[in-house]
Amino acid sequence: MSTFLKLLARNRLAVFGAAVLGAIILLVVITPLLPLPDPNATATADRFKRPFSDGFILGTDHLGRDLFSRLLWGTQLSLAVGLAAALIAGTIGAAIGIVAGYFGGRIDNVIMRAIDMLMAFPYILLALAIVAALGPGLLNALYAVAAVNIPFFARNVRGVTVSIAHKEFVDAARLSGMGHLRIITTEILPNVLPVVVIAMSTTIGWMILETAGLSFLGLGSQPPQADLGSMLGEARAAMITAPHTSIVPGVMILLIVMSVNLLGDGVRDALDPRLRSGALSRPMAATLVRRDETPPEKTDTKAVLSLENLETRFEVGARIYRAVGGVSLAIQPGECVGLIGESGSGKSVTALSVMGLVASPPGVVTGGAVRLNGQDLIGAPYARLRALRGDRVAYIFQDPLSTLHPLYRVGDQLTEAIRVHHRISRDAAHERAVKLLEDVHIPNARARARSYPHELSGGMRQRVAIAMALANEPEVIIADEPTTALDVTVQAQILKLLDNLRRDRGVSILFITHDFGVVGQLCDRVAVMYAGRIVEEGTTAEVLDAPAHPYTKRLIACVPELGAGRRELHAIPGLPPAVDQLPHGCAFAPRCHKATGLCATSDIPLDGRKRKVRCILPEEDVA
Amino acid sequence: MSLALETRDLTKTFDVGKRLLRPPKAQVHAVHPTSLRVENGETLGIVGESGCGKSTLARMLVGLLPPSSGTIEIEGLSGGSSPADFGRVIQYVFQDPVSSLNPRKTIRQILEAPLIHLHGMGRSERAARIDEIFDSVSLRGEFLNRYPHEFSGGQAQRIGIARALAANARILVLDEPVSALDVSVQAQVLNLLADLKDELGLTYLFISHDLAVVEAVSDRVAVLYFGAVVEEGRAENIFASPRHPYTRLLAESAPVVGRPIGGQAQGELPDPMNPPPGCAFASRCPRATDICRTDRPELRPIEGDQRAACHHPLDP
Ligand SMILES: Nc1ncnc2c1ncn2[C@@H]1O[C@H](COP(=O)(O)OP(=O)(O)O)[C@@H](O)[C@H]1O
Ligand code: SF4
Ligand code: SF4
Ligand SMILES: [Mg+2]
């Protein structure tokens, strides 16, 4: 709630709307207490008095009635009617939407067809038809306005209900013995209510306007009762001779509708989860760099890609999340290095930092260097990064759809990817695209090139994403959990494909995963990450056969391996630390059975030359 | 041992492209006639790749989805029972621990639902029972008044298990209960499930795509392919000496340290709207012959209690 108010307060237009609306509401609330003349008392002698004359603040109308008094009473009536219409439309619309969305099937079909039919009529015509059938009168106008708005609410609420009704907690409620009515009221409704409130706040302004419209036509409030629409309607005849009689209610309508809509939009935006997470603020083209020190000296001269003491953090308000806390890792030509760790350990941020792909804000690279063939990429101009992205360094992600555009044929996307970095004809590029699809073992490649991504299975899509990564024969492929979402048989095919690529073409691969089995089958060397840092590094065989860091050792013991039969697993108690509150010293100390007082006092370095471990009491001697 | 659950020729067919008055455009056979038997106190593992019908089968077993044909027998329950009737004898633990908890209810409200609606317990009785259950899943009592978003995946899954226990059902269907969890947390939850089973004498149907996990927790395993059980046998035998070519492909594909990348069979699942007439695996099977493409193989005993649906089963 307080974040909601904070976000709302940041929106100047919404604050302005709230202020204007607040003032108007205050005025109409205290109207009965003000010493106002009777709004309906006629005095033909005083007709069309100008504002500020003879004690009439806003003058008088064609019957000599005090305009200020009529304005306040009329505004009160219009606001009340608008609110009532919104409540009625919201309640009935939500009820219809919930029933349709929850029960689905035939009920949904029939209801939504009816709603579609209603929506096919022009709005105001429908309202006119309803009033014509019911007869003029303010209450009937209210019903008409409410009725024509019901479809809007019903549609919105149905959409939300469908997504909620398919959530697992609704199934769980059924298994807990709840009936439909109880599920609707206690499981669905509380989750739908915010949507109804937002929809109301954004439509109530229009409902006031529509009621005013009906009154203007003489179908709403009946004389002598004043509402804003009827005041405007009665002033129509004297528009030229006494313009103030039209301007006064007109300005009020304008103020109300404008302030309600500004506030309503503000409320909607402030409740939008994307705005909350800052996702709607435009990210920069490359990750922000704020390095205090000059990059450390180059240590590994043969490496294609080397990360040196890389530090990346996220600055969210006052909190600092040290996602990558000084990672050093070198990849030699043709080598496959595994980066393994649990979720949240910083694997992906490390990978994205290489090419400046971490979203800024909130991401900032605060230290270290990333060298591609000796050249530092951190802080490199955007043009240079863009030239290298996809050309020298390519990425493969867990979700191939994140790199494939849903609306273009995969062959065309590959062709484009090739032509971004190479000046060759479209036909030549297309031939290369087909060849690439063949290289990644897509059967019938020429025909498949004409498919859209959604027409392919998950495994096929990941192959296309790999073909995309290969398009410009990069030196380094960074694969971030490329097989995690795939079935084992498909995973095996993709792993084989990557393994062959590396042997045939000499590409270097940084392979990120949480699966020791995959690392064991694919990688030459492996680095284990915990809480943003590498805790152990060595050849795959060494690390897997004789893990030196207590975390690695216990993590391997957690994982069941096929063929070992039924067995007790040795769980690690506790959870990894949150990276915005890392413990002092060894981050694993709170969960480590070997921890001593020394472990928590000072920073523990990553020790060793080829085989490295960040522990003062390692399980194996690594010297 | 006594029987906890038995299905006979259970099937599920979905209509796709439903139309208001005319018949649907097509049908998808998500589960082909399936007969399973689970003994009391046993863990039956169910493995298979995505879309093979694991969840559909599981949802039928707990009464969330009406079967198209066939019967389910659970402690005397059968067709026509409501989810509440099912709820007292069989419960479901969901894959996504977070979306299985209503974000607008406290943990106490969530756990109370089955106690109120299935068992009609009074207030003080409920409080005592909830404390007992919470203790058994090793969660601290102070969590009861918090909301789901305050919990990590592993904690949320413990709460999901606590809710299933609250219904006091003896059979739990665990649908990928640890797939969304990190490995170190996964082991915690698997061990918790093993302890609860011993303490309370539960029966599990453990669904997973992870062969190693299934092997580690199950007594028997059923392998599903394209909506049908293709092989069934003891956990220690089924992946060690598979008799169905698909089971062997699965076992060889699983990444195991120190073994070369295996399982190179190409090809994809058949189109569910257009199932092939014979064996569904024929297009990917190295042993396929003509009969495989015309006659659907029945599940039959191969050796001991290992059964496979294959015309040319593998040698051990
Ligand atoms: N409501 C539905 N309508 C149509 N097809 C469905 C529906 N639910 C599941 N299916 C289909 O049933 C098959 C089995 O799905 P599912 O039970 O979810 O498998 P798994 O749990 O193994 O992922 C899939 O082909 C899926 O597309
Ligand atoms: S440094 Fe100490 S706490 Fe950390 S892993 Fe080593 S022994 Fe455990
Ligand atoms: S029946 Fe034939 S095609 Fe099917 S698995 Fe057996 S050998 Fe292969
Ligand atoms: Mg599933």
Side-chain angles (χ1 to χ4, degrees), chain A residues 220-538:
Chain A
S221 83
Q222 299 299 311
Q225 195 180 37
D227 83 343
L228 293 174
S230 63
M231 287 175 72
L232 207 54
E234 288 164 2
R236 194 169 24 171
M239 186 110 80
I240 308 295
T241 51
H244 69 280
T245 51
S246 314
I247 291 173
V248 165
V251 166
M252 182 55 92
I253 290 178
L254 181 74
L255 283 179
I256 292 177
V257 173
M258 180 200 67
S259 62
V260 167
N261 284 354
L262 286 179
L263 183 61
D265 287 353
V267 167
R268 188 194 54 205
D269 288 351
L271 287 175
D272 190 328
R274 283 175 305 166
L275 193 75
R276 291 194 158 192
S277 65
L280 287 186
S281 59
R282 238 175 92 80
M284 294 183 208
T287 312
L288 189 70
V289 175
R290 202 189 318 118
R291 263 192 313 202
D292 303 332
E293 294 167 24
T294 46
E297 275 305 295
K298 206 166 154 228
T299 50
D300 195 330
T301 44
K302 297 188 306 299
V304 190
L305 181 71
S306 71
L307 318 186
E308 287 156 30
N309 220 2
L310 180 69
E311 279 178 34
T312 306
R313 50 167 80 157
F314 294 100
E315 299 175 349
V316 184
R319 287 177 180 244
I320 294 176
Y321 297 85
R322 290 167 212 280
V324 180
V327 164
S328 300
L329 191 64
I331 302 166
Q332 311 299 327
E335 190 183 34
C336 178
V337 176
L339 188 59
I340 193 166
E342 295 181 82
S343 59
S345 60
K347 306 182 297 291
S348 293
V349 181
T350 304
L352 293 173
S353 298
V354 170
M355 281 283 134
L357 289 173
V358 179
S360 290
V364 191
V365 175
T366 52
V370 172
R371 290 181 212 274
L372 183 66
N373 295 319
Q375 304 285 312
D376 192 5
L377 298 179
I378 299 294
Y382 173 60
R384 188 167 140 67
L385 283 179
R386 197 183 47 191
L388 292 172
R389 281 181 193 170
D391 187 37
R392 300 293 82 216
V393 179
Y395 284 88
I396 306 169
F397 296 103
Q398 177 174 339
D399 179 9
L401 292 181
S402 61
T403 39
L404 297 177
H405 194 293
L407 299 182
Y408 293 97
R409 300 177 194 279
V410 296
D412 294 347
Q413 297 189 51
L414 269 171
T415 308
E416 266 321 296
I418 295 168
R419 279 164 52 93
V420 167
H421 294 288
H422 296 270
R423 292 167 178 278
I424 56 174
S425 75
R426 185 166 291 276
D427 286 345
H430 187 76
E431 280 313 302
R432 228 160 100 198
V434 172
K435 172 81 174 54
L436 281 167
L437 292 176
E438 280 166 2
D439 289 350
V440 295
H441 303 295
I442 288 189
N444 211 348
R446 195 165 295 276
R448 284 295 171 111
R450 300 189 48 75
S451 309
Y452 292 95
H454 70 92
E455 296 171 337
L456 302 173
S457 68
M460 283 296 160
R461 271 183 222 148
Q462 196 56 290
R463 280 166 207 258
V464 173
I466 294 175
M468 200 87 150
L470 291 175
N472 297 297
E473 297 177 347
E475 291 167 88
V476 182
I477 292 180
I478 298 179
D480 190 352
E481 307 234 18
T483 59
T484 302
L486 303 176
D487 283 314
V488 270
T489 58
V490 184
Q491 165 169 287
Q493 294 166 7
I494 299 286
L495 291 180
K496 188 77 199 160
L497 177 63
L498 285 173
D499 196 42
N500 288 342
L501 285 174
R502 146 175 113 89
R503 298 194 192 283
D504 301 346
R505 308 194 179 196
V507 220
S508 307
I509 300 180
L510 177 61
F511 192 92
I512 295 172
T513 178
H514 64 268
D515 189 330
F516 282 104
V518 170
V519 164
Q521 291 188 323
L522 189 69
C523 301
D524 306 309
R525 276 190 311 125
V526 59
V528 183
M529 255 185 116
Y530 188 76
R533 296 178 131 195
I534 289 177
V535 295
E536 170 158 17
E537 188 188 327

Side-chain angles (χ1 to χ4, degrees), chain A residues 23-360:
Chain A
I24 294 172
I25 289 176
L26 185 73
L27 264 182
V28 301
V29 166
I30 61 167
T31 298
L33 306 176
L34 295 178
L36 291 173
D38 181 351
N40 297 332
T42 55
T44 14
D46 288 333
R47 11 187 351 233
F48 293 132
K49 281 270 189 319
R50 302 278 147 177
F52 305 111
S53 59
D54 299 340
F56 299 111
I57 301 179
L58 292 177
T60 59
D61 68 0
H62 63 293
L63 294 176
R65 295 176 292 194
D66 181 54
L67 262 185
F68 185 61
S69 173
R70 281 182 80 71
L71 179 73
L72 290 192
W73 286 104
T75 305
Q76 190 187 48
L77 193 60
S78 287
L79 280 180
V81 169
L83 188 67
L87 283 176
I88 295 174
T91 310
I92 299 180
I96 294 176
I98 288 180
V99 167
Y102 177 74
F103 289 102
R106 190 147 292 174
I107 297 180
D108 183 32
N109 238 320
V110 171
I111 292 181
M112 292 324 286
R113 289 286 152 84
I115 294 281
D116 284 344
M117 254 143 58
L118 273 183
M119 285 186 104
F121 284 103
Y123 215 48
I124 201 77
L125 270 188
L126 193 60
L128 283 176
I130 295 174
V131 185
L134 296 176
L138 192 56
L139 212 53
N140 291 343
L142 190 160
Y143 294 147
V145 169
V148 298
N149 279 289
I150 286 176
F152 169 78
F153 284 95
R155 266 184 169 268
N156 269 328
V157 169
R158 176 194 171 267
V160 185
T161 306
V162 166
S163 71
I164 290 170
H166 285 110
K167 286 253 164 76
E168 294 172 333
F169 67 78
V170 174
D171 285 337
R174 291 171 65 189
L175 291 171
S176 296
M178 294 190 194
H180 292 310
L181 188 63
R182 197 179 294 275
I183 290 179
I184 286 179
T185 51
T186 70
E187 307 286 323
I188 308 268
L189 192 60
N191 287 293
V192 169
L193 217 48
V195 180
V196 181
V197 172
I198 294 173
M200 269 192 209
S201 70
T202 50
T203 49
I204 187 167
W206 301 119
M207 295 207 206
I208 291 172
L209 201 59
E210 285 153 16
T211 330
L214 290 176
S215 290
F216 177 81
L217 297 175
L219 298 172
S221 83
Q222 299 299 311
Q225 195 180 37
D227 83 343
L228 293 174
S230 63
M231 287 175 72
L232 207 54
E234 288 164 2
R236 194 169 24 171
M239 186 110 80
I240 308 295
T241 51
H244 69 280
T245 51
S246 314
I247 291 173
V248 165
V251 166
M252 182 55 92
I253 290 178
L254 181 74
L255 283 179
I256 292 177
V257 173
M258 180 200 67
S259 62
V260 167
N261 284 354
L262 286 179
L263 183 61
D265 287 353
V267 167
R268 188 194 54 205
D269 288 351
L271 287 175
D272 190 328
R274 283 175 305 166
L275 193 75
R276 291 194 158 192
S277 65
L280 287 186
S281 59
R282 238 175 92 80
M284 294 183 208
T287 312
L288 189 70
V289 175
R290 202 189 318 118
R291 263 192 313 202
D292 303 332
E293 294 167 24
T294 46
E297 275 305 295
K298 206 166 154 228
T299 50
D300 195 330
T301 44
K302 297 188 306 299
V304 190
L305 181 71
S306 71
L307 318 186
E308 287 156 30
N309 220 2
L310 180 69
E311 279 178 34
T312 306
R313 50 167 80 157
F314 294 100
E315 299 175 349
V316 184
R319 287 177 180 244
I320 294 176
Y321 297 85
R322 290 167 212 280
V324 180
V327 164
S328 300
L329 191 64
I331 302 166
Q332 311 299 327
E335 190 183 34
C336 178
V337 176
L339 188 59
I340 193 166
E342 295 181 82
S343 59
S345 60
K347 306 182 297 291
S348 293
V349 181
T350 304
L352 293 173
S353 298
V354 170
M355 281 283 134
L357 289 173
V358 179
S360 290

Side-chain angles (χ1 to χ4, degrees), chain A residues 106 168-169 171-172 175-176 182 187 190-191 342-343 457 460 487 489 492-493 521 563 566 569 572 574, chain B residues 20 49-50 59 91 96 99-100 102 104-105 117 163 182 184 188 191 215-216 219 255 259-260 262 265 268:
Chain A
R106 190 147 292 174
E168 294 172 333
F169 67 78
D171 285 337
L175 291 171
S176 296
R182 197 179 294 275
E187 307 286 323
N191 287 293
E342 295 181 82
S343 59
S457 68
M460 283 296 160
D487 283 314
T489 58
Q493 294 166 7
Q521 291 188 323
R566 195 171 173 141
L569 303 169
I572 309 176
Chain B
L20 199 51
E49 297 179 273
S50 55
R59 291 167 60 81
Q91 277 288 337
D96 182 347
S99 86
S100 73
N102 186 344
R104 296 187 186 270
K105 283 191 163 182
H117 304 296
R163 172 178 50 203
D182 259 318
S184 76
Q188 293 170 7
N191 286 345
E215 192 191 54
D219 299 302
R259 199 171 75 177
E268 298 200 37

Side-chain angles (χ1 to χ4, degrees), chain B residues 190-206:
Chain B
L190 289 176
N191 286 345
L192 170 69
L193 285 171
D195 294 344
L196 289 173
K197 187 175 170 223
D198 290 345
E199 265 167 51
L200 306 172
L202 302 174
T203 304
Y204 288 161
L205 275 95
F206 191 102

Side-chain angles (χ1 to χ4, degrees), chain B residues 73-115:
Chain B
E73 240 171 81
I74 310 166
E75 298 183 359
L77 272 185
S78 56
S81 307
S82 71
D85 296 330
F86 275 92
R88 277 184 277 267
V89 290
I90 185 165
Q91 277 288 337
Y92 201 97
V93 175
F94 296 87
Q95 168 167 9
D96 182 347
V98 177
S99 86
S100 73
L101 304 174
N102 186 344
R104 296 187 186 270
K105 283 191 163 182
T106 64
I107 304 307
R108 183 183 293 281
Q109 286 172 320
I110 290 171
L111 293 183
E112 277 189 329
L115 300 180

Side-chain angles (χ1 to χ4, degrees), chain B residues 14 16 30 49-56:
Chain B
F14 289 107
V16 285
E49 297 179 273
S50 55
C52 73
K54 303 185 295 292
S55 299
T56 307

